[in-house]
């Protein structure tokens, strides 16, 4: 494996991270040191109250709120937000929310060429990646561009205390998926592997604590720390079969993003297990489990996550086409993509069976 030969390339993104309970109180100082005197706060309609709180910590700089961020970043929403940003003559954006809100700020950074400060409130990790997406006429277009990275990220676990439990679980497992695939990526490296293992450990332990105490600030902090690490891995390593399958499932069947990741993860990791022993050892260690794929399956079950594609509304007859589309334009993967093996794996995920052991 490339990474074990200590022969690798590591690129870190330039951004500033301010982490901790109450970190949001430093927002006006962060905006001042970034030279941003006029900013637009963006959020989803559901998070208007959070955006108002964030606006209050921005002092006079936050001149307006745009509360129409939506899942999958519709082009029409980007256009409306651009118009508001222009008419308010802002120099930057503060994105307060999850991957959907940060996705909107990314498109504003790209189209309007204005920087943004991210205040993530889920565990999706988009703030740590140069990946953007926009949806027009039912088609999602994605790309990579360093200009969509935030100038500063403020992680404040106190803003995540009310993150609903199902969203906490699915976005936490989505984060673990980024780290897990980063462990066996073709361009992985020892630094990313440290981050990935630590990210999985922090997220799994944090979520286990949250299962009994959803408002525990330390556990929320552990999950946010895990999200940062797992998101960083996604931002720096190529993803493999897991992300490809989730992309195809989500795109062609309009499935919920994070839940699809949560269901698929044990199965895709089981599929690759024999071909990525080093990655499996790190996942086992992070989860304190005897088997990586079973450990992930049991974690999802323990947290009450949906465990089958059938539960997400997928029809059995759709599986064959999903595999065809996946194979037609594959991502690199440690295990060769054999149609019949992929069908077996997808059926297993559809039924919600435990993953096959390598
Ligand atoms: P989301 O941003 O869609 O948020 C889900 C719901 O939870 C929303 O209604 C939101 O208002 C609410 N919410 C968020 N934080 C809350 C909080 N603290 N308290 C109460 N409610 C809260 O969900 P997500 O899982 O964070 O993001 C999913 C999107 O992000 C997908 O579109 C996915 O493609 C994208 N994503 C992109 C990247 C990337 O690198 N570009 C990485 C991961 C995810």
């Amino acid at each position: 494996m490339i990474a074990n030969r200590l022969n690798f390339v590591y690129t870190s993104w330039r951004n500033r991270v301010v982490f901790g309970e109450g970190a949001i109180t430093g927002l006006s100082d962060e905006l001042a040191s970034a030279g941003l005197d006029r900013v637009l706060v963006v959020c989803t309609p559901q998070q208007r109250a959070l955006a108002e709180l964030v606006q209050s910590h921005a002092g006079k700089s936050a001149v307006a709120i745009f509360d129409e961020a939506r899942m999958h970043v519709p082009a029409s929403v980007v256009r409306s937000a651009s118009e508001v940003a222009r008419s308010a003559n802002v120099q930057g954006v503060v994105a307060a929310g999850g991957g959907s809100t940060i996705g909107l700020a990314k498109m504003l950074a790209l189209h309007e060429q204005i920087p943004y400060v991210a205040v993530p409130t889920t565990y999706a990790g988009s703030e740590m990646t140069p990946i953007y997406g926009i949806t027009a006429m039912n088609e999602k277009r994605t790309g990579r561009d360093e200009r969509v990275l935030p100038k500063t990220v403020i992680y404040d676990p106190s803003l995540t205390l009310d993150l609903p439990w199902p969203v906490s679980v699915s976005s936490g497992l989505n984060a673990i998926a980024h780290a897990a695939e980063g462990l066996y990526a073709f361009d992985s490296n020892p630094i990313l592997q440290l981050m990935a293992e630590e990210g999985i450990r922090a997220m799994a332990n944090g979520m286990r604590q949250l299962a009994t105490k959803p408002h525990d600030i330390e556990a929320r902090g552990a999950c946010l720390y895990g999200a940062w690490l797992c998101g960083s891995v996604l931002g720096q390593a190529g993803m493999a079969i897991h992300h490809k399958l989730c992309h195809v499932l989500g795109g062609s069947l309009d499935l919920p993003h994070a839940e699809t990741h949560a269901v698929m993860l044990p199965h895709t990791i089981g599929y690759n297990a024999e071909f990525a022993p080093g990655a499996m050892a790190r996942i086992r260690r992070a989860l304190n489990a005897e088997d990586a794929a079973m450990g992930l399956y049991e974690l999802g079950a323990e947290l009450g996550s949906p465990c089958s594609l059938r539960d997400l509304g997928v029809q059995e007859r759709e599986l064959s086409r999903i595999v065809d589309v996946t194979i037609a334009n594959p991502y690199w993967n440690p295990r060769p993509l054999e149609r019949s093996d992929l069908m077996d794996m997808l059926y297993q995920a559809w039924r919600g069976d435990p993953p096959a052991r390598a």
Side-chain angles (χ1 to χ4, degrees):
M1 256 201 280
I2 299 167
N4 289 345
R5 276 194 258 120
L6 286 186
N7 178 5
F8 60 90
V9 175
Y10 174 75
T11 310
S12 64
W13 307 122
R14 266 189 64 187
N15 57 15
R16 176 178 160 83
V17 173
V18 183
F19 195 104
E21 184 183 357
I24 193 62
T25 58
L27 177 60
S28 62
D29 289 345
E30 291 299 325
L31 292 173
S33 62
L36 298 175
D37 296 332
R38 289 179 71 81
V39 293
L40 175 69
V41 180
V42 297
C43 64
T44 60
Q46 298 83 352
Q47 289 189 281
R48 175 85 198 188
L50 170 92
E52 284 168 2
L53 177 74
V54 167
Q55 186 181 32
S56 72
H57 289 298
K60 288 189 187 129
S61 315
V63 293
I65 294 178
F66 177 85
D67 66 1
E68 294 169 34
R70 298 252 181 298
M71 190 88 158
H72 304 308
V73 194
S76 57
V77 171
V78 177
R79 273 195 300 278
S80 306
S82 290
E83 277 163 27
V84 174
R86 282 180 195 185
S87 64
N89 194 23
V90 297
Q91 303 155 322
V93 168
V94 177
S100 299
T101 301
I102 291 169
L104 172 61
K106 286 179 164 184
M107 292 317 300
L108 291 173
L110 205 56
H111 288 176
E112 300 299 315
Q113 307 209 348
I114 48 176
Y116 73 100
V117 171
V119 183
T121 62
T122 69
Y123 309 135
S126 175
E127 64 283 356
M128 284 296 146
T129 85
I131 306 162
Y132 63 86
I134 184 163
T135 306
M137 292 192 283
N138 288 330
E139 203 178 313
K140 188 164 182 176
R141 186 169 57 80
T142 59
R144 292 177 84 93
D145 193 313
E146 285 185 41
R147 288 175 296 171
V148 306
L149 285 161
K151 204 166 180 64
T152 303
V153 183
I154 298 179
Y155 286 112
D156 185 337
S158 66
L159 303 179
T160 66
L161 293 177
D162 294 326
L163 183 63
W165 178 242
V167 187
S168 303
V169 172
S170 54
S171 83
L173 292 171
N174 186 184
I176 289 180
H178 307 329
E181 288 229 297
L183 283 169
Y184 53 60
F186 69 93
D187 53 355
S188 189
N189 63 62
I191 314 300
L192 281 190
Q193 293 180 1
L194 287 174
M195 293 170 97
E197 181 177 335
E198 174 70 354
I200 296 172
R201 181 179 296 112
M203 185 62 79
N205 289 344
M207 286 199 297
R208 284 191 164 119
Q209 280 173 271
L210 286 180
T212 50
K213 287 193 208 163
H215 290 96
D216 187 287
I217 190 79
E218 274 181 39
R220 287 286 178 191
C223 290
L224 214 45
Y225 169 63
W228 167 17
L229 295 172
C230 294
S232 300
V233 176
L234 174 67
Q236 296 178 54
M239 296 288 115
I241 185 64
H242 172 78
H243 280 74
K244 177 70 193 186
L245 264 177
C246 291
H247 196 81
V248 174
L249 281 161
S252 41
L253 303 176
D254 197 25
L255 299 185
H257 174 89
E259 287 83 347
T260 308
H261 277 269
V263 168
M264 288 308 301
L265 184 60
H267 306 284
T268 48
I269 295 302
Y271 184 85
N272 280 334
E274 227 177 284
F275 291 74
M280 299 304 132
R282 283 192 183 267
I283 298 171
R284 282 200 304 274
R285 210 159 49 209
L287 297 176
N288 197 16
E290 284 179 16
D291 180 86
M294 269 310 286
L296 290 166
Y297 184 80
E298 282 163 4
L299 178 66
E302 191 184 326
L303 299 173
S305 168
C307 72
S308 74
L309 290 176
R310 190 162 40 183
D311 286 349
L312 300 185
V314 177
Q315 304 291 317
E316 188 176 356
R317 62 182 146 76
E318 288 162 331
L319 301 182
S320 178
R321 186 173 57 86
I322 295 297
V323 169
D324 289 340
V325 176
T326 301
I327 293 177
N329 185 12
Y331 293 176
W332 180 90
N333 191 63
R335 175 174 172 178
L337 301 183
E338 298 291 347
R339 193 178 193 288
S340 64
D341 295 342
L342 285 174
M343 279 305 294
D344 290 347
M345 186 253 280
L346 209 52
Y347 263 114
Q348 200 176 269
W350 182 76
R351 288 189 302 263
D353 290 346
R357 283 175 189 264

